[in-house]
Amino acid sequence: MSPPILSLALPSETGRVLSIQSHTVQGYVGNKSAVFPLQLLGYDVDPINSVQFSNHTGYPTFKGQVLNGQELWDLIEGLEANDLLFYTHLLTGYIGSVSFLETVLQVVNKLRSVNPKLMYVCDPVMGDEGKLYIPQELVSVYRERVVPVASMLTPNQFEAELLTGFRITSERDGLEACNILHAAGPSKVVITSVHIGESLLLIGSHKKSEGQPLEQFKIVIAKIPAYFTGTGDLMTALLLGWSNKYPDNLDRASELAVSSLQALLRRTINDYKSAGFDPQSSSLEIRLIQSQEDIRNPQVNYKAEKYT
């Protein structure tokens, strides 16, 4: 008789996450940015690497391999053959092709056939600040097929506009975009960065049940004059981690996630300065390992303000 899989036989109080994201040998983006923080928060995390690159694509060169849809499905079938497909959460980030995204949708269905309560946390990585990172044809697949099956959605401002067809130029617009996304499917929506004038905001919205008013809030975030890689992947992982611990308090979960991320970014800036490097001159690799305590036990320096 084979020994039991302890993450199934004695599951953690938090959950078991399947994370389908990119992987870099060096640096912290995709799964490298998401898996470790979730483990620190008590989750069993099984990563599937949609790509394996030497480093992120912002470097002058990179090399590596790309997983295709059939190869992803082979891994799922291998897990299924050994009764290993019970997950409480599915997490996805950057996806570069329609065929791979189609397979992810099959994975959602397969996982929900095993656990109908599966929470699908989707970071719909499509672009930022008006620039598209993905082929145009993926946008409609996200809008029409992915959004309806997601439990939590974490777009940035540009991605929320792409998904809703609604321009966000005010806080009220941000809330309306959340309303449109709720109507399409997900009960939790967090627009992770909204630029309104000189302000940078997170806007969150929780639809607890039909007929109940939405719980909506904002968090004003300090602008840091630098560009970092991996922060979106980390933010979505933190939102998954904390929102599962506070399932009825998305505002509290967002406070903890934002506070963790901002502490990590400040440490990253300070460490680059200590190394004699101007942090405004290039994109920066985040100091994830050095920020473990900020992930486990963040000081909540960013507070949510509820909309009424």
Side-chain angles (χ1 to χ4, degrees):
M1 180 179 172
S2 300
I5 306 300
L6 288 179
S7 64
L8 293 173
L10 301 172
S12 71
E13 293 179 6
T14 43
R16 190 163 185 258
V17 181
L18 180 65
S19 180
I20 304 175
Q21 300 196 62
S22 57
H23 170 86
T24 57
V25 176
Q26 193 280 328
Y28 295 97
V29 300
N31 269 333
K32 282 282 290 287
S33 189
V35 173
F36 180 61
L38 283 168
Q39 290 170 331
L40 284 178
L41 292 175
Y43 293 80
D44 284 307
V45 188
D46 292 350
I48 292 179
N49 298 325
S50 56
V51 305
Q52 176 170 262
F53 288 162
S54 54
N55 42 267
H56 71 69
T57 56
Y59 281 88
T61 64
F62 66 93
K63 292 196 172 186
Q65 301 81 38
V66 177
L67 198 72
N68 64 36
Q70 183 56 53
E71 290 164 336
L72 169 60
W73 194 248
D74 287 345
L75 294 172
I76 297 298
E77 288 186 328
L79 291 167
E80 183 181 30
N82 293 293
D83 293 325
L84 299 175
L85 267 190
F86 184 91
Y87 290 96
T88 58
H89 295 77
L90 172 66
L91 172 62
T92 62
Y94 175 78
I95 293 168
S97 72
V98 170
S99 63
F100 197 88
L101 189 53
E102 296 271 4
T103 307
V104 166
L105 286 163
Q106 294 177 45
V107 173
V108 175
N109 290 335
K110 176 67 74 175
L111 295 183
R112 283 191 170 143
S113 73
V114 178
N115 176 18
K117 294 182 178 179
L118 175 94
M119 297 285 291
Y120 174 25
V121 179
C122 173
D123 182 5
V125 181
M126 295 185 288
D128 198 9
E129 296 179 352
K131 181 183 176 186
L132 206 60
Y133 298 157
I134 59 169
Q136 179 69 44
E137 58 265 27
L138 264 82
V139 176
S140 61
V141 181
Y142 268 112
R143 186 189 300 129
E144 295 164 16
R145 300 184 57 199
V146 177
V147 171
V149 299
S151 312
M152 177 192 286
L153 208 61
T154 63
N156 61 31
Q157 181 174 355
F158 178 59
E159 291 157 352
E161 291 175 338
L162 287 172
L163 292 173
T164 60
F166 190 80
R167 189 106 167 85
I168 300 172
T169 58
S170 67
E171 290 182 44
R172 187 52 51 192
D173 291 342
L175 295 174
E176 183 56 31
C178 290
N179 297 345
I180 294 169
L181 291 169
H182 283 312
S187 61
K188 294 179 180 178
V189 177
V190 178
I191 306 178
T192 54
S193 55
V194 181
H195 298 268
I196 307 293
E198 293 300 307
S199 300
L200 176 61
L201 309 174
L202 173 148
I203 293 179
S205 184
H206 188 186
K207 182 181 182 181
K208 292 189 174 179
S209 63
E210 288 294 338
Q212 265 195 309
L214 299 175
E215 291 190 3
Q216 299 184 308
F217 60 91
K218 68 176 179 181
I219 299 176
V220 180
I221 303 171
K223 282 189 177 181
I224 296 176
Y227 177 76
F228 306 87
T229 55
T231 52
D233 309 316
L234 173 57
M235 184 63 182
T236 296
L238 292 171
L239 284 167
L240 185 163
W242 288 114
S243 68
N244 193 52
K245 290 172 184 279
Y246 296 94
D248 294 322
N249 296 95
L250 185 58
D251 53 346
R252 177 63 177 165
S254 298
E255 289 175 346
L256 289 156
V258 168
S259 296
S260 276
L261 180 60
Q262 290 296 307
L264 175 146
L265 296 182
R266 284 194 299 273
R267 175 173 285 101
T268 300
I269 288 280
N270 290 337
D271 284 357
Y272 272 103
K273 287 178 178 176
S274 296
F277 185 81
D278 177 5
Q280 294 188 45
S281 63
S282 177
S283 67
L284 309 179
E285 299 268 17
I286 56 174
R287 297 287 275 172
L288 188 69
I289 304 305
Q290 294 74 17
S291 303
Q292 293 179 49
E293 194 55 31
D294 296 314
I295 293 167
R296 272 201 206 93
N297 299 299
Q299 286 191 339
V300 179
N301 295 319
Y302 292 84
K303 287 288 191 178
E305 301 171 46
K306 291 188 178 183
Y307 293 104
T308 54

